[in-house]
Amino acid sequence: MDLAIRSKCESVETPPPTEFYPLKCPTASDLLSLDVWRALQHVLPKKYLSYSLNRCYASHEDGYGLLPLLQYWSSFCVMYRCAEGKAPTLLCLQMEANSDILLLFREDCWVNRSDGKGSKSTILMRYSKEHMQYWKPAGNEDTWVFVRSTNDRLIVGAGGKEGVSLVVMSDLYHATSQKSEVFLNDPLQETELFTIRNAELYVFVL
């Protein structure tokens, strides 16, 4: 199956399969499929591709909502002794209307902090119809919020002169997306308001 990576309206063919890193994931998932993982390998930092991906939260098993997501993340950090909760993570959100998957890679902590700004290493992605689109921050302005997680909402790409890339409400079901100056993304879905079918959070572990 041919895949393509699209970034900022450019389409690039994937390299030969010989460069493929195997997916090390103890828990099977429809959201993190082999095709999705193959596409991710041309977006994520290469140093993490040999890590195992441990699922620490799944909405259909652990309950819908940002609060349980943050609680399961905190428990995972205690169990695996993640230093100050710092471990790279991958959030997968499956859309209800079209089964697109929105993905968020972040290296900072999932903490309930209303003044958090996240890290410039944050990557926002959309996997749709066998193609991966991805966006990285366009700069590092003082007012920009790359990613902020609280019990009330998850915010990605805010603080610029135009729009917010992604807002997920506390129920982890209702969401919105706009064109944003921070990630230079167009709206992630055809409608500004949309809903989420499933959500999963993975931690990269050596």
Side-chain angles (χ1 to χ4, degrees):
M1 180 181 297
D2 291 333
L3 297 175
I5 306 298
R6 293 178 179 175
S7 175
K8 298 179 182 178
C9 301
E10 294 181 0
S11 181
V12 181
E13 292 301 322
T14 57
T18 53
E19 299 185 23
F20 176 67
Y21 286 77
L23 174 59
K24 301 176 183 177
C25 183
T27 308
S29 168
D30 292 334
L31 277 64
L32 188 59
S33 66
L34 194 59
D35 285 341
V36 172
W37 174 243
R38 188 184 297 273
L40 281 168
Q41 295 192 24
H42 311 289
V43 181
L44 300 179
K46 190 172 183 179
K47 62 182 178 180
Y48 296 129
L49 298 182
S50 60
Y51 284 38
S52 293
L53 278 163
N54 286 26
R55 193 175 75 186
C56 71
Y57 168 81
S59 58
H60 64 281
E61 294 180 2
D62 303 319
Y64 284 83
L66 290 175
L67 180 59
L69 184 152
L70 295 174
Q71 290 173 336
Y72 275 93
W73 160 250
S74 178
S75 298
F76 184 94
C77 288
V78 172
M79 184 182 303
Y80 284 85
R81 299 178 181 178
C82 301
E84 300 178 357
K86 292 181 180 178
T89 56
L90 182 69
L91 177 66
C92 304
L93 303 172
Q94 185 181 39
M95 302 298 94
E96 192 166 48
N98 53 22
S99 295
D100 284 0
I101 299 174
L102 303 185
L103 304 107
L104 179 70
F105 171 81
R106 65 184 297 188
E107 292 182 302
D108 61 307
C109 303
W110 284 90
V111 292
N112 180 17
R113 184 172 174 178
S114 60
D115 62 345
K117 290 191 174 182
S119 167
K120 193 175 183 295
S121 62
T122 301
I123 307 174
L124 178 63
M125 296 159 276
R126 177 178 63 195
Y127 184 80
S128 177
K129 299 177 181 178
E130 302 173 9
H131 289 88
M132 181 75 81
Q133 293 176 284
Y134 67 96
W135 300 270
K136 298 180 180 181
N140 193 14
E141 302 296 330
D142 291 339
T143 60
W144 286 5
V145 174
F146 303 118
V147 57
R148 174 181 293 164
S149 50
T150 70
N151 292 341
D152 295 326
R153 65 193 63 194
L154 170 66
I155 300 172
V156 181
K161 296 178 182 178
E162 184 178 19
V164 181
S165 299
L166 178 65
V167 178
V168 179
M169 304 309 293
S170 61
D171 57 9
L172 203 49
Y173 178 68
H174 294 93
T176 181
S177 175
Q178 303 169 333
K179 186 176 182 180
S180 167
E181 180 188 21
V182 178
F183 282 89
L184 297 180
N185 62 283
D186 289 326
L188 301 174
Q189 292 291 283
E190 293 182 358
T191 59
E192 183 174 335
L193 302 175
F194 53 91
T195 52
I196 297 167
R197 180 185 302 165
N198 287 314
E200 295 178 348
L201 181 65
Y202 292 86
V203 186
F204 291 80
V205 179
L206 268 175

PDB file of all heavy atoms in Angstrom, residues 8-33:
ATOM      1  N   LYS A   8       2.410  21.010   4.824  1.00  0.00           N
ATOM      2  CA  LYS A   8       2.334  22.320   4.213  1.00  0.00           C
ATOM      3  C   LYS A   8       2.071  22.215   2.716  1.00  0.00           C
ATOM      4  O   LYS A   8       2.731  22.822   1.877  1.00  0.00           O
ATOM      5  CB  LYS A   8       3.614  23.107   4.490  1.00  0.00           C
ATOM      6  CG  LYS A   8       3.843  23.362   5.985  1.00  0.00           C
ATOM      7  CD  LYS A   8       5.106  24.118   6.234  1.00  0.00           C
ATOM      8  CE  LYS A   8       5.325  24.302   7.729  1.00  0.00           C
ATOM      9  NZ  LYS A   8       6.579  24.996   8.022  1.00  0.00           N
ATOM     10  N   CYS A   9       1.105  21.353   2.369  1.00  0.00           N
ATOM     11  CA  CYS A   9       0.617  21.200   0.997  1.00  0.00           C
ATOM     12  C   CYS A   9       1.629  20.535   0.065  1.00  0.00           C
ATOM     13  O   CYS A   9       1.490  20.601  -1.148  1.00  0.00           O
ATOM     14  CB  CYS A   9       0.193  22.553   0.409  1.00  0.00           C
ATOM     15  SG  CYS A   9      -1.111  23.354   1.357  1.00  0.00           S
ATOM     16  N   GLU A  10       2.646  19.884   0.602  1.00  0.00           N
ATOM     17  CA  GLU A  10       3.593  19.162  -0.225  1.00  0.00           C
ATOM     18  C   GLU A  10       3.407  17.666  -0.005  1.00  0.00           C
ATOM     19  O   GLU A  10       3.206  17.218   1.106  1.00  0.00           O
ATOM     20  CB  GLU A  10       5.031  19.558   0.117  1.00  0.00           C
ATOM     21  CG  GLU A  10       5.342  21.015  -0.222  1.00  0.00           C
ATOM     22  CD  GLU A  10       6.768  21.371   0.096  1.00  0.00           C
ATOM     23  OE1 GLU A  10       7.504  20.489   0.573  1.00  0.00           O
ATOM     24  OE2 GLU A  10       7.162  22.525  -0.145  1.00  0.00           O
ATOM     25  N   SER A  11       3.486  16.874  -1.075  1.00  0.00           N
ATOM     26  CA  SER A  11       3.332  15.428  -0.988  1.00  0.00           C
ATOM     27  C   SER A  11       4.663  14.770  -1.288  1.00  0.00           C
ATOM     28  O   SER A  11       5.297  15.070  -2.292  1.00  0.00           O
ATOM     29  CB  SER A  11       2.272  14.950  -1.983  1.00  0.00           C
ATOM     30  OG  SER A  11       2.103  13.555  -1.873  1.00  0.00           O
ATOM     31  N   VAL A  12       5.090  13.882  -0.381  1.00  0.00           N
ATOM     32  CA  VAL A  12       6.384  13.228  -0.524  1.00  0.00           C
ATOM     33  C   VAL A  12       6.188  11.728  -0.405  1.00  0.00           C
ATOM     34  O   VAL A  12       5.517  11.261   0.509  1.00  0.00           O
ATOM     35  CB  VAL A  12       7.369  13.715   0.569  1.00  0.00           C
ATOM     36  CG1 VAL A  12       8.719  13.048   0.394  1.00  0.00           C
ATOM     37  CG2 VAL A  12       7.507  15.226   0.517  1.00  0.00           C
ATOM     38  N   GLU A  13       6.755  10.966  -1.323  1.00  0.00           N
ATOM     39  CA  GLU A  13       6.641   9.513  -1.264  1.00  0.00           C
ATOM     40  C   GLU A  13       7.488   8.974  -0.116  1.00  0.00           C
ATOM     41  O   GLU A  13       8.566   9.496   0.189  1.00  0.00           O
ATOM     42  CB  GLU A  13       7.107   8.897  -2.588  1.00  0.00           C
ATOM     43  CG  GLU A  13       6.200   9.204  -3.770  1.00  0.00           C
ATOM     44  CD  GLU A  13       4.782   8.709  -3.562  1.00  0.00           C
ATOM     45  OE1 GLU A  13       4.622   7.625  -2.997  1.00  0.00           O
ATOM     46  OE2 GLU A  13       3.851   9.426  -3.946  1.00  0.00           O
ATOM     47  N   THR A  14       7.014   7.922   0.526  1.00  0.00           N
ATOM     48  CA  THR A  14       7.758   7.325   1.622  1.00  0.00           C
ATOM     49  C   THR A  14       8.979   6.585   1.102  1.00  0.00           C
ATOM     50  O   THR A  14       9.001   6.114  -0.035  1.00  0.00           O
ATOM     51  CB  THR A  14       6.879   6.327   2.385  1.00  0.00           C
ATOM     52  OG1 THR A  14       6.396   5.349   1.473  1.00  0.00           O
ATOM     53  CG2 THR A  14       5.718   7.027   3.045  1.00  0.00           C
ATOM     54  N   PRO A  15      10.027   6.451   1.940  1.00  0.00           N
ATOM     55  CA  PRO A  15      11.211   5.709   1.531  1.00  0.00           C
ATOM     56  C   PRO A  15      10.945   4.210   1.466  1.00  0.00           C
ATOM     57  O   PRO A  15       9.880   3.757   1.873  1.00  0.00           O
ATOM     58  CB  PRO A  15      12.234   6.050   2.628  1.00  0.00           C
ATOM     59  CG  PRO A  15      11.413   6.465   3.795  1.00  0.00           C
ATOM     60  CD  PRO A  15      10.185   7.092   3.231  1.00  0.00           C
ATOM     61  N   PRO A  16      11.876   3.414   0.973  1.00  0.00           N
ATOM     62  CA  PRO A  16      11.683   1.967   0.848  1.00  0.00           C
ATOM     63  C   PRO A  16      11.383   1.313   2.192  1.00  0.00           C
ATOM     64  O   PRO A  16      11.792   1.816   3.244  1.00  0.00           O
ATOM     65  CB  PRO A  16      13.024   1.477   0.286  1.00  0.00           C
ATOM     66  CG  PRO A  16      13.627   2.681  -0.353  1.00  0.00           C
ATOM     67  CD  PRO A  16      13.162   3.852   0.434  1.00  0.00           C
ATOM     68  N   PRO A  17      10.682   0.166   2.176  1.00  0.00           N
ATOM     69  CA  PRO A  17      10.301  -0.523   3.409  1.00  0.00           C
ATOM     70  C   PRO A  17      11.481  -0.945   4.261  1.00  0.00           C
ATOM     71  O   PRO A  17      11.322  -1.236   5.425  1.00  0.00           O
ATOM     72  CB  PRO A  17       9.527  -1.747   2.902  1.00  0.00           C
ATOM     73  CG  PRO A  17       9.091  -1.393   1.530  1.00  0.00           C
ATOM     74  CD  PRO A  17      10.112  -0.458   0.987  1.00  0.00           C
ATOM     75  N   THR A  18      12.709  -0.997   3.692  1.00  0.00           N
ATOM     76  CA  THR A  18      13.878  -1.415   4.457  1.00  0.00           C
ATOM     77  C   THR A  18      14.172  -0.453   5.602  1.00  0.00           C
ATOM     78  O   THR A  18      14.868  -0.803   6.551  1.00  0.00           O
ATOM     79  CB  THR A  18      15.102  -1.502   3.541  1.00  0.00           C
ATOM     80  OG1 THR A  18      15.248  -0.254   2.849  1.00  0.00           O
ATOM     81  CG2 THR A  18      14.954  -2.617   2.531  1.00  0.00           C
ATOM     82  N   GLU A  19      13.651   0.769   5.555  1.00  0.00           N
ATOM     83  CA  GLU A  19      13.893   1.740   6.602  1.00  0.00           C
ATOM     84  C   GLU A  19      12.794   1.711   7.672  1.00  0.00           C
ATOM     85  O   GLU A  19      12.751   2.567   8.531  1.00  0.00           O
ATOM     86  CB  GLU A  19      13.988   3.144   6.000  1.00  0.00           C
ATOM     87  CG  GLU A  19      15.124   3.301   5.008  1.00  0.00           C
ATOM     88  CD  GLU A  19      15.249   4.733   4.522  1.00  0.00           C
ATOM     89  OE1 GLU A  19      14.793   5.649   5.231  1.00  0.00           O
ATOM     90  OE2 GLU A  19      15.802   4.925   3.432  1.00  0.00           O
ATOM     91  N   PHE A  20      11.942   0.721   7.606  1.00  0.00           N
ATOM     92  CA  PHE A  20      10.800   0.639   8.501  1.00  0.00           C
ATOM     93  C   PHE A  20      11.209   0.081   9.867  1.00  0.00           C
ATOM     94  O   PHE A  20      11.850  -0.959   9.960  1.00  0.00           O
ATOM     95  CB  PHE A  20       9.734  -0.254   7.870  1.00  0.00           C
ATOM     96  CG  PHE A  20       8.537  -0.499   8.744  1.00  0.00           C
ATOM     97  CD1 PHE A  20       7.689   0.540   9.062  1.00  0.00           C
ATOM     98  CD2 PHE A  20       8.257  -1.756   9.234  1.00  0.00           C
ATOM     99  CE1 PHE A  20       6.581   0.334   9.868  1.00  0.00           C
ATOM    100  CE2 PHE A  20       7.159  -1.983  10.034  1.00  0.00           C
ATOM    101  CZ  PHE A  20       6.320  -0.931  10.342  1.00  0.00           C
ATOM    102  N   TYR A  21      10.832   0.781  10.944  1.00  0.00           N
ATOM    103  CA  TYR A  21      11.037   0.291  12.307  1.00  0.00           C
ATOM    104  C   TYR A  21       9.808  -0.497  12.738  1.00  0.00           C
ATOM    105  O   TYR A  21       8.689  -0.031  12.564  1.00  0.00           O
ATOM    106  CB  TYR A  21      11.239   1.458  13.276  1.00  0.00           C
ATOM    107  CG  TYR A  21      12.579   2.139  13.184  1.00  0.00           C
ATOM    108  CD1 TYR A  21      12.857   3.026  12.149  1.00  0.00           C
ATOM    109  CD2 TYR A  21      13.563   1.911  14.140  1.00  0.00           C
ATOM    110  CE1 TYR A  21      14.081   3.660  12.067  1.00  0.00           C
ATOM    111  CE2 TYR A  21      14.793   2.548  14.074  1.00  0.00           C
ATOM    112  CZ  TYR A  21      15.043   3.426  13.025  1.00  0.00           C
ATOM    113  OH  TYR A  21      16.265   4.053  12.945  1.00  0.00           O
ATOM    114  N   PRO A  22       9.983  -1.686  13.306  1.00  0.00           N
ATOM    115  CA  PRO A  22       8.809  -2.468  13.728  1.00  0.00           C
ATOM    116  C   PRO A  22       8.055  -1.768  14.847  1.00  0.00           C
ATOM    117  O   PRO A  22       8.635  -1.050  15.667  1.00  0.00           O
ATOM    118  CB  PRO A  22       9.423  -3.787  14.206  1.00  0.00           C
ATOM    119  CG  PRO A  22      10.835  -3.448  14.559  1.00  0.00           C
ATOM    120  CD  PRO A  22      11.249  -2.369  13.607  1.00  0.00           C
ATOM    121  N   LEU A  23       6.754  -1.978  14.867  1.00  0.00           N
ATOM    122  CA  LEU A  23       5.909  -1.403  15.906  1.00  0.00           C
ATOM    123  C   LEU A  23       5.988  -2.279  17.151  1.00  0.00           C
ATOM    124  O   LEU A  23       5.603  -3.438  17.132  1.00  0.00           O
ATOM    125  CB  LEU A  23       4.461  -1.307  15.416  1.00  0.00           C
ATOM    126  CG  LEU A  23       3.414  -0.847  16.438  1.00  0.00           C
ATOM    127  CD1 LEU A  23       3.748   0.531  16.969  1.00  0.00           C
ATOM    128  CD2 LEU A  23       2.026  -0.867  15.812  1.00  0.00           C
ATOM    129  N   LYS A  24       6.492  -1.709  18.237  1.00  0.00           N
ATOM    130  CA  LYS A  24       6.588  -2.419  19.513  1.00  0.00           C
ATOM    131  C   LYS A  24       5.482  -1.902  20.423  1.00  0.00           C
ATOM    132  O   LYS A  24       5.665  -0.925  21.147  1.00  0.00           O
ATOM    133  CB  LYS A  24       7.954  -2.191  20.151  1.00  0.00           C
ATOM    134  CG  LYS A  24       9.135  -2.645  19.305  1.00  0.00           C
ATOM    135  CD  LYS A  24      10.452  -2.280  19.972  1.00  0.00           C
ATOM    136  CE  LYS A  24      11.639  -2.655  19.116  1.00  0.00           C
ATOM    137  NZ  LYS A  24      12.924  -2.235  19.739  1.00  0.00           N
ATOM    138  N   CYS A  25       4.344  -2.550  20.346  1.00  0.00           N
ATOM    139  CA  CYS A  25       3.186  -2.092  21.116  1.00  0.00           C
ATOM    140  C   CYS A  25       2.490  -3.304  21.713  1.00  0.00           C
ATOM    141  O   CYS A  25       1.873  -4.089  20.984  1.00  0.00           O
ATOM    142  CB  CYS A  25       2.240  -1.305  20.215  1.00  0.00           C
ATOM    143  SG  CYS A  25       0.823  -0.621  21.073  1.00  0.00           S
ATOM    144  N   PRO A  26       2.574  -3.503  23.040  1.00  0.00           N
ATOM    145  CA  PRO A  26       1.979  -4.688  23.667  1.00  0.00           C
ATOM    146  C   PRO A  26       0.465  -4.779  23.512  1.00  0.00           C
ATOM    147  O   PRO A  26      -0.097  -5.866  23.554  1.00  0.00           O
ATOM    148  CB  PRO A  26       2.353  -4.525  25.147  1.00  0.00           C
ATOM    149  CG  PRO A  26       3.493  -3.568  25.158  1.00  0.00           C
ATOM    150  CD  PRO A  26       3.267  -2.644  24.005  1.00  0.00           C
ATOM    151  N   THR A  27      -0.200  -3.632  23.331  1.00  0.00           N
ATOM    152  CA  THR A  27      -1.656  -3.613  23.249  1.00  0.00           C
ATOM    153  C   THR A  27      -2.112  -3.290  21.839  1.00  0.00           C
ATOM    154  O   THR A  27      -1.777  -2.239  21.298  1.00  0.00           O
ATOM    155  CB  THR A  27      -2.243  -2.559  24.212  1.00  0.00           C
ATOM    156  OG1 THR A  27      -1.711  -2.759  25.520  1.00  0.00           O
ATOM    157  CG2 THR A  27      -3.755  -2.656  24.264  1.00  0.00           C
ATOM    158  N   ALA A  28      -2.843  -4.206  21.221  1.00  0.00           N
ATOM    159  CA  ALA A  28      -3.329  -3.984  19.859  1.00  0.00           C
ATOM    160  C   ALA A  28      -4.300  -2.818  19.828  1.00  0.00           C
ATOM    161  O   ALA A  28      -5.033  -2.571  20.776  1.00  0.00           O
ATOM    162  CB  ALA A  28      -4.014  -5.244  19.339  1.00  0.00           C
ATOM    163  N   SER A  29      -4.314  -2.086  18.693  1.00  0.00           N
ATOM    164  CA  SER A  29      -5.157  -0.912  18.600  1.00  0.00           C
ATOM    165  C   SER A  29      -5.556  -0.638  17.168  1.00  0.00           C
ATOM    166  O   SER A  29      -4.746  -0.779  16.254  1.00  0.00           O
ATOM    167  CB  SER A  29      -4.424   0.309  19.166  1.00  0.00           C
ATOM    168  OG  SER A  29      -5.102   1.498  18.848  1.00  0.00           O
ATOM    169  N   ASP A  30      -6.817  -0.232  16.978  1.00  0.00           N
ATOM    170  CA  ASP A  30      -7.262   0.202  15.655  1.00  0.00           C
ATOM    171  C   ASP A  30      -6.744   1.597  15.336  1.00  0.00           C
ATOM    172  O   ASP A  30      -6.585   1.966  14.179  1.00  0.00           O
ATOM    173  CB  ASP A  30      -8.792   0.207  15.591  1.00  0.00           C
ATOM    174  CG  ASP A  30      -9.373  -1.198  15.660  1.00  0.00           C
ATOM    175  OD1 ASP A  30      -8.663  -2.143  15.272  1.00  0.00           O
ATOM    176  OD2 ASP A  30     -10.514  -1.349  16.114  1.00  0.00           O
ATOM    177  N   LEU A  31      -6.486   2.379  16.374  1.00  0.00           N
ATOM    178  CA  LEU A  31      -6.020   3.746  16.158  1.00  0.00           C
ATOM    179  C   LEU A  31      -4.549   3.784  15.783  1.00  0.00           C
ATOM    180  O   LEU A  31      -4.143   4.524  14.889  1.00  0.00           O
ATOM    181  CB  LEU A  31      -6.265   4.606  17.407  1.00  0.00           C
ATOM    182  CG  LEU A  31      -7.659   5.210  17.564  1.00  0.00           C
ATOM    183  CD1 LEU A  31      -8.710   4.127  17.720  1.00  0.00           C
ATOM    184  CD2 LEU A  31      -7.697   6.167  18.732  1.00  0.00           C
ATOM    185  N   LEU A  32      -3.753   2.980  16.458  1.00  0.00           N
ATOM    186  CA  LEU A  32      -2.328   2.916  16.157  1.00  0.00           C
ATOM    187  C   LEU A  32      -2.054   1.654  15.346  1.00  0.00           C
ATOM    188  O   LEU A  32      -1.460   0.692  15.823  1.00  0.00           O
ATOM    189  CB  LEU A  32      -1.507   2.934  17.445  1.00  0.00           C
ATOM    190  CG  LEU A  32       0.009   3.067  17.276  1.00  0.00           C
ATOM    191  CD1 LEU A  32       0.365   4.348  16.544  1.00  0.00           C
ATOM    192  CD2 LEU A  32       0.703   3.020  18.625  1.00  0.00           C
ATOM    193  N   SER A  33      -2.489   1.676  14.107  1.00  0.00           N
ATOM    194  CA  SER A  33      -2.318   0.523  13.212  1.00  0.00           C
ATOM    195  C   SER A  33      -0.918   0.529  12.613  1.00  0.00           C
ATOM    196  O   SER A  33      -0.159   1.495  12.750  1.00  0.00           O
ATOM    197  CB  SER A  33      -3.350   0.575  12.097  1.00  0.00           C
ATOM    198  OG  SER A  33      -3.105   1.700  11.263  1.00  0.00           O
TER     199      SER A  33
END
